[in-house]
Amino acid sequence: MKNLSISCGSGDILSPDRIRLSQLIKSRYAQPPACYIHTYGCAQNVSDSEKIMHVLSDCGYVFTDKPENADLIVLNTCAVRENAHDRVFGNLGGFKKLKQKNNDLIICVCGCMTQQKQVVDIMEKSYGFVDVVFGTYGAKQLPDMLYEVMKNGKRVVRSFDEGDLISEEMKQLRSDTVRASVPIMYGCNNFCSYCIVPYVRGRERSREVSAVCDEVRELVGNGCKEITLLGQNVNSYSYGFVKLLERINDIEGDFRVRFLSSHPKDAGRELIDAILSLDKVCKHLHLPVQSGNDEILKKMNRHYTVGEYLKIVDYAREKDPSFSFTTDIIVGFPGESYEQFCDTKKLLHRVRFDNIFSYVYSKRSGTKAAQLEDNVSDKEKGMLLRELLEEQRDITEKWLGRFVGKTLTVLPTEKGRTGEGYISGKSDENIIVEFKGGERLINSFVRVKIIKAMNWALLGEIEDK
Ligand code: SAM
Ligand code: SF4
Ligand code: F3S
């Protein structure tokens, strides 16, 4: 194979499948072909898209944010809620029109949706203009699939099983070099009764500590300031999550670390102690509670009670009274009464989250909850969601007040919404902070004294030294 290997821009040795496709591309296109990639869903999918981009870039593709200029369109899909499904099918209608204008356009649909057999069946039957279909395991085989389409005009529909795990040790082409996500594990074993993720992402498997640390070291060496460790339940990381945090904390450099997500059944005092004691770990915990009612939590198969959840919160607040929590909540779970929903509202007041991510329950075929009667109408679910968000807005505004007069470390990333001259970024506590400062400060840590709390952010000014 050695004589087949050529070096790509990153200095890596290209594999034969990538060489084969890049040669075909060179013979077909006068200019490097453009790829438009649209990512739906969570941070894990964004990270997968960056892997796909790395493969495509090795093969000679460049990237565009305009689908009408693209030679290849990739939709990396999400299956977590019905509306994510609907958006993909909706967008495909528009891409079909582009394909009618340009028959050489290649359309690829991949990700969590196409890991489901019923979706692959629909793609095969009714979406003949989609050239490549694969699920959550196949990114590494993309050059072979594209070659098949380009060279032989064949449509490729492949569903991969967990035997294709090698795709997981792939490089990412990151568009943001200052903030980067690093997957530490894949899959999920929890089978929350409403959730499709374990079915489309398989069982949990953890990356080696050394692989994660090497990647973090490289990113930091290249100027990265914020690393987000990714996993559906980072607390069940096989080699010990707190140990991993300690190892990362020991890496030299001016950077901070976040992580997503923690499952309350596995998050304990040790985690809170680590967050509070390790200087590079952000002082914030995203701890999805889903519901504030024990009966609903049981039906959701979450394996903790509200009391157990509150024990973690109380322990953290004992150690640091202003400790920051955010959470996920589902409203309108099958059989949820208004009283049970009110228990969730009570929990919001009891915990005082800085922010919540709330969703209306969406029935996912194949999950346990899909067998329960979805007896809350869409209209009711919408009303519950609005009620919850309104309640939270007041809590956020009052609770963020605890930071007024304090100085926080902020990593500004963009222009602010507050007005001319403002820039905006997140504090270690994961709270948006806006302050007046030159755009040259973007992407560097700034100490900001907080002067005002709003219901969506904090307002501050650069601290006088
Ligand atoms: N693994 C993470 C966890 O357990 O916190 C998050 C996984 S999921 C991608 C993100 C959020 O989507 C969940 O916390 C849950 O609130 C929501 N979610 C998952 N399935 C849902 C469904 N069927 N309907 C509505 N929301 C759902
Ligand atoms: Fe879904 Fe539960 Fe796994 Fe999170 S922990 S991905 S909600 S099954
Ligand atoms: Fe993420 Fe959606 Fe898949 S939330 S894991 S992209 S189902």
Side-chain angles (χ1 to χ4, degrees):
M1 276 312 152
K2 228 177 178 178
N3 58 345
L4 263 181
S5 302
I6 53 172
S7 226
C8 65
S10 59
D12 294 338
I13 301 297
L14 282 189
S15 56
D17 57 334
R18 294 184 198 187
I19 294 171
R20 190 172 69 145
L21 181 63
S22 64
Q23 284 170 344
L24 181 62
I25 282 175
K26 276 189 196 132
S27 70
R28 291 240 163 156
Y29 297 93
Q31 302 285 335
C35 169
Y36 168 82
I37 181 158
H38 188 109
T39 311
Y40 303 79
C42 64
Q44 182 69 69
N45 243 23
V46 173
S47 159
D48 286 356
S49 285
E50 290 178 345
K51 290 178 180 173
I52 290 171
M53 286 168 75
H54 192 272
V55 173
L56 292 174
S57 154
D58 269 0
C59 298
Y61 279 94
V62 293
F63 298 93
T64 172
D65 52 8
K66 294 192 175 64
E68 60 279 13
N69 293 346
D71 301 286
L72 169 67
I73 291 178
V74 178
L75 302 185
N76 190 10
T77 62
C78 168
V80 81
R81 283 171 288 274
E82 191 64 39
N83 56 6
H85 257 236
D86 294 346
R87 266 189 293 147
V88 172
F89 284 122
N91 288 350
L92 272 173
F95 297 140
K96 184 179 182 181
K97 287 193 187 122
L98 289 179
K99 179 112 182 180
Q100 282 160 349
K101 282 192 218 153
N102 169 15
N103 198 37
D104 289 335
L105 173 65
I106 299 175
I107 299 182
C108 167
V109 183
C110 60
C112 292
M113 247 174 96
T114 41
Q115 192 60 36
Q116 299 173 286
K117 189 178 176 310
Q118 74 273 23
V119 177
V120 174
D121 289 347
I122 295 174
M123 288 284 160
E124 287 205 280
K125 258 195 230 145
S126 316
Y127 289 81
F129 62 94
V130 176
D131 305 282
V132 179
V133 178
F134 67 94
T136 52
Y137 300 106
K140 195 152 195 166
Q141 286 82 357
L142 188 54
D144 276 343
M145 296 187 261
L146 289 173
Y147 187 88
E148 275 295 301
V149 175
M150 274 187 216
K151 180 82 179 169
N152 305 323
K154 278 197 192 144
R155 187 173 191 219
V156 186
V157 180
R158 285 195 201 164
S159 62
F160 293 87
D161 59 26
E162 293 184 32
D164 297 293
L165 297 185
I166 189 131
S167 290
E168 292 171 358
E169 279 306 323
M170 287 169 66
K171 291 198 166 186
Q172 294 172 226
L173 185 71
R174 294 179 167 95
S175 44
D176 188 344
T177 51
V178 175
R179 292 173 307 159
S181 64
V182 174
I184 64 163
M185 57 193 296
Y186 301 93
C188 182
N189 289 353
N190 292 307
F191 289 95
C192 302
S193 64
Y194 49 81
C195 186
I196 197 72
V197 172
Y199 302 90
V200 293
R201 290 273 177 184
R203 298 293 67 72
E204 283 176 2
R205 53 268 172 208
S206 298
R207 290 180 73 197
E208 298 280 341
V209 175
S210 56
V212 175
C213 288
D214 286 350
E215 193 171 344
V216 171
R217 215 171 280 115
E218 191 183 333
L219 286 164
V220 171
N222 289 331
C224 185
K225 293 271 165 51
E226 181 174 300
I227 306 273
T228 303
L229 306 175
L230 296 181
Q232 295 300 346
N233 175 12
V234 291
N235 301 105
S236 56
Y237 178 67
S238 296
Y239 309 104
F241 183 59
V242 166
K243 281 205 180 74
L244 178 71
L245 285 180
E246 287 167 354
R247 287 281 299 275
I248 293 173
N249 198 67
D250 285 343
I251 294 173
E252 278 190 26
D254 185 25
F255 72 101
R256 65 185 187 185
V257 188
R258 300 190 181 285
F259 53 88
L260 276 177
S261 279
S262 287
H263 195 303
K265 78 177 166 57
D266 299 313
R269 293 177 167 212
E270 204 197 359
L271 179 68
I272 302 289
D273 290 342
I275 294 172
L276 290 173
S277 64
L278 300 173
D279 60 315
K280 290 184 177 117
V281 176
C282 286
K283 310 302 166 211
H284 159 245
L285 182 58
H286 181 66
L287 196 61
V289 68
Q290 312 299 356
S291 165
N293 177 274
D294 283 342
E295 213 176 303
I296 295 294
L297 284 175
K298 195 154 200 267
K299 284 192 190 168
M300 288 178 163
N301 196 32
R302 290 288 288 178
H303 295 284
Y304 56 83
T305 61
V306 174
E308 284 159 350
Y309 185 91
L310 287 173
K311 269 192 193 154
I312 312 170
V313 173
D314 290 344
Y315 179 74
R317 294 270 165 78
E318 224 171 78
K319 297 239 155 172
D320 173 4
S322 64
F323 195 97
S324 294
F325 284 97
T326 52
T327 201
D328 291 351
I329 285 171
I330 296 177
V331 300
F333 187 79
E336 185 183 54
S337 66
Y338 188 71
E339 286 67 36
Q340 288 170 322
F341 164 75
C342 288
D343 286 342
T344 303
K345 287 207 298 184
K346 270 186 221 146
L347 186 75
L348 298 189
H349 287 277
R350 169 71 165 77
V351 177
R352 289 172 296 178
F353 295 102
D354 286 316
N355 196 6
I356 61 169
F357 300 87
S358 47
Y359 310 98
V360 294
Y361 168 74
S362 174
K363 181 174 174 173
R364 306 318 291 134
S365 146
T367 61
K368 274 263 164 63
Q371 292 161 16
L372 303 170
E373 192 197 346
D374 186 3
N375 59 346
V376 187
S377 71
D378 285 350
K379 195 174 162 205
E380 277 172 279
K381 284 179 190 165
M383 279 162 52
L384 294 175
L385 192 69
R386 276 193 294 281
E387 198 174 322
L388 195 79
L389 285 171
E390 236 161 71
E391 202 92 6
Q392 180 58 35
R393 251 191 296 277
D394 289 343
I395 296 171
T396 299
E397 188 161 1
K398 284 193 195 111
W399 182 227
L400 286 190
R402 72 196 186 280
F403 291 114
V404 173
K406 290 191 178 166
T407 299
L408 306 181
T409 301
V410 182
L411 182 63
T413 48
E414 58 196 359
K415 282 187 182 178
R417 282 163 49 180
T418 307
E420 194 62 31
Y422 280 85
I423 54 176
S424 173
K426 285 203 170 171
S427 71
D428 284 358
E429 296 74 11
N430 202 40
I431 295 159
I432 300 171
V433 179
E434 301 226 335
F435 60 99
K436 265 198 171 164
E439 281 181 40
R440 71 191 158 77
L441 291 176
I442 284 179
N443 292 336
S444 54
F445 290 116
V446 184
R447 297 280 289 160
V448 179
K449 183 151 189 214
I450 304 306
I451 51 174
K452 188 182 168 190
M454 300 175 285
N455 63 12
W456 61 279
L458 292 168
L459 211 60
E461 50 196 22
I462 298 175
E463 188 184 51
D464 288 334
K465 285 272 160 75

